[in-house]
Amino acid sequence: MKLVSRIFEAIRSPYQCLGHQVTTDASIGIALAPQDGSDIDQILKNADLAMYAAKAAGRRTYRFFEPDMEAEVRARRGLEMDLRQALVDGGFEVYYQPCLSLQTNAITGCEALVRWRHPQRGMISPAEFVPLAEDTGLINQIGEWVLTTACKEAATWPGDVRLAVNVSPIQFRSGTLALKVMAALAASGLAASRVELEITEAVLIRDDEAALAVLHDLHAIGVRIALDDFGTGYSSLSYLQRFPFDKIKIDRCFITDIAEPQGSSCIVEAVVNIAAERHMTTTAEGVETEQQRDLLRELGCSEMQGYLFSAPQPAAEIRPLLSKYQPCPEAARPVRPRKRKDEARSA
Ligand code: C2E
Ligand code: CA
Ligand code: CA
């Protein structure tokens, strides 16, 4: 371990490069002779596998080689090859989940969620393959396919129903995201104002300035930008200062226990009030019960999404819902943000 610490120390000490102070870091993989290999090639290969395990464990750390690592890497490589093949064979589908106004009960938009129908394993959840697609860069092609497919579908929906598309931080780094969005809009004829891109704060963590410039370009052509999974990251509030988001999507973890006595209703209320002051709408994610919905309505949240109304479904299942849940003036219920405690006292 002393050797590992000395290597980290040596690599981490800052140095000067072309007049700038530069710092580097490392992920270290360790294979030992003779137990991890009988020749130098085998030992280097196993050290390499251990290094990937160190990277997967969050980088800036070290791992010793373990025989299981080889099987994991083989499985991952297999999945990566299947993912590439799925792009060629059309193995992906887009499901859509409606977002409902808590005020009018009308469907305001639908979120596109990618699905992978694996020839042997059946449906694979994006939670499993999106991280792999991000690591391999394949998310750029998958994301472009989702965007183009979903824009074509949304162009057939009633005029004011919006389309929300998830965008990975990797897609921002490609430098061509804005062009791809414009191409998808042009090919489908969908108005930019009907498209909402959902990003997480991870987009703004690295390459801040470059990502912000892309967000501003997209905003300038009328595309809306939503901050997804709000509340799950490190310093969400500071991100609200950095960009004029159109919408905050409050993560499901705050909705699950919203109706419980020591639950998250105060947090949701605070987010709704902050959003209202900044002219942003709020969507509650993962609403599963009527009690949660009623409380969210009372707290002044604008919209809801979740299994209570509809799980994500194929386009053909969603289309009939869109014409059924149109705004209807009689169904409108005023949304009254709950008075803040100080206002309530002075009233
Ligand atoms: P997300 O963007 O936060 O999407 C919401 C997830 O919650 C979806 O999971 C949805 O099916 C699920 N969900 C919706 N309502 C409920 C509910 O009432 N209860 C529960 N328990 N879950 C609910 P899904 O479709 O498996 O997607 C998982 C994640 O994968 C997404 O989280 C998003 O981060 C990512 N993802 C999906 N499609 C894409 C895509 O096209 N591009 C990118 N970059 N990421 C995607
Ligand atoms: Ca999302
Ligand atoms: Ca989310």
Side-chain angles (χ1 to χ4, degrees):
M1 277 319 86
K2 271 192 189 152
L3 182 60
V4 170
S5 309
R6 276 173 51 206
I7 294 173
F8 272 133
E9 250 169 57
I11 289 176
R12 282 175 185 161
S13 44
Y15 58 92
Q16 292 294 319
C17 179
L18 300 173
H20 295 278
Q21 179 160 303
V22 180
T23 50
T24 49
D25 220 314
S27 301
I28 299 179
I30 307 162
L32 301 171
Q35 59 264 46
D36 295 339
S38 49
D39 60 59
I40 186 73
D41 287 343
Q42 186 66 36
I43 290 174
L44 280 177
K45 190 175 142 252
N46 288 346
D48 211 33
L49 289 174
M51 180 197 69
Y52 281 109
K55 283 191 178 180
R59 297 168 189 264
R60 305 167 139 214
T61 185
Y62 66 92
R63 283 289 180 272
F64 281 96
F65 170 74
E66 288 166 24
D68 284 354
M69 287 173 181
E70 202 165 0
E72 272 167 36
V73 167
R74 211 177 303 125
R76 216 178 125 83
R77 289 221 177 106
L79 207 59
E80 182 188 334
M81 274 163 59
D82 293 348
L83 211 48
R84 286 184 195 279
Q85 196 58 42
L87 269 168
V88 180
D89 297 344
F92 297 107
E93 286 170 38
V94 183
Y95 276 28
Y96 299 88
Q97 186 179 34
C99 184
L100 210 66
S101 161
L102 281 164
Q103 193 177 4
T104 65
N105 286 330
I107 293 178
T108 53
C110 292
E111 177 177 2
L113 292 155
V114 69
R115 296 288 179 267
W116 179 14
R117 204 178 283 278
H118 190 279
Q120 282 84 40
R121 294 178 53 190
M123 268 313 190
I124 301 186
S125 153
E128 186 177 343
F129 72 83
V130 165
L132 176 65
E134 289 181 330
D135 285 352
T136 52
L138 288 170
I139 195 69
N140 284 310
Q141 286 143 278
I142 298 172
E144 187 177 353
W145 179 83
V146 171
L147 188 67
T148 315
T149 308
C151 282
K152 272 192 202 135
E153 171 60 27
T156 70
W157 295 346
D160 46 2
V161 177
R162 290 200 181 103
L163 166 73
V165 180
N166 291 283
V167 184
S168 154
I170 309 293
Q171 290 171 271
F172 275 83
R173 280 176 226 156
S174 71
T176 55
L177 179 65
L179 283 176
K180 283 176 181 165
V181 173
M182 286 182 219
L185 292 175
S188 61
L190 188 68
S193 58
R194 289 178 61 194
V195 174
E196 191 164 77
L197 299 182
E198 296 193 3
I199 67 156
T200 58
E201 62 178 40
V203 167
L204 298 175
I205 283 173
R206 281 205 222 165
D207 288 345
D208 272 7
E209 297 310 317
L212 276 174
V214 176
L215 286 177
H216 281 294
D217 285 350
L218 288 164
H219 232 193
I221 62 163
V223 171
R224 290 162 53 94
I225 310 290
L227 186 55
D228 203 356
D229 304 339
F230 188 77
T232 56
Y234 293 104
S235 53
S236 300
L237 289 176
S238 76
Y239 291 100
L240 299 180
Q241 303 270 32
R242 312 266 279 283
F243 187 79
F245 290 98
D246 299 285
K247 178 188 272 190
I248 295 178
K249 296 194 75 175
I250 307 171
D251 193 77
R252 179 158 64 91
C253 66
F254 299 108
I255 310 304
T256 309
D257 68 351
I258 193 174
E260 286 165 24
Q262 299 301 317
S264 305
S265 68
C266 295
I267 295 176
V268 172
E269 185 176 15
V271 175
V272 166
N273 286 331
I274 292 169
E277 261 160 40
R278 294 183 160 251
H279 309 290
M280 296 183 274
T281 55
T282 36
T283 300
E285 299 193 274
V287 179
E288 295 185 351
T289 68
E290 289 178 1
Q291 206 187 1
Q292 291 167 351
R293 179 201 58 199
D294 295 347
L295 203 53
L296 285 159
R297 192 177 270 149
E298 205 185 303
L299 292 174
C301 184
S302 338
E303 297 169 346
M304 61 156 260
Q305 225 182 332
Y307 295 168
L308 176 66
F309 180 70
S310 168
Q313 297 183 66
E317 313 277 323
I318 288 295
R319 274 177 229 137
L321 291 179
L322 300 181
S323 35
K324 199 169 159 204
Y325 288 86
Q326 284 288 293
C328 155
E330 303 91 73
R333 290 186 53 175
V335 171
R336 279 164 297 162
R338 227 191 219 175
K339 278 186 179 158
R340 286 200 307 260
K341 287 194 182 92
D342 52 342
E343 286 176 341
R345 269 197 300 274
S346 63

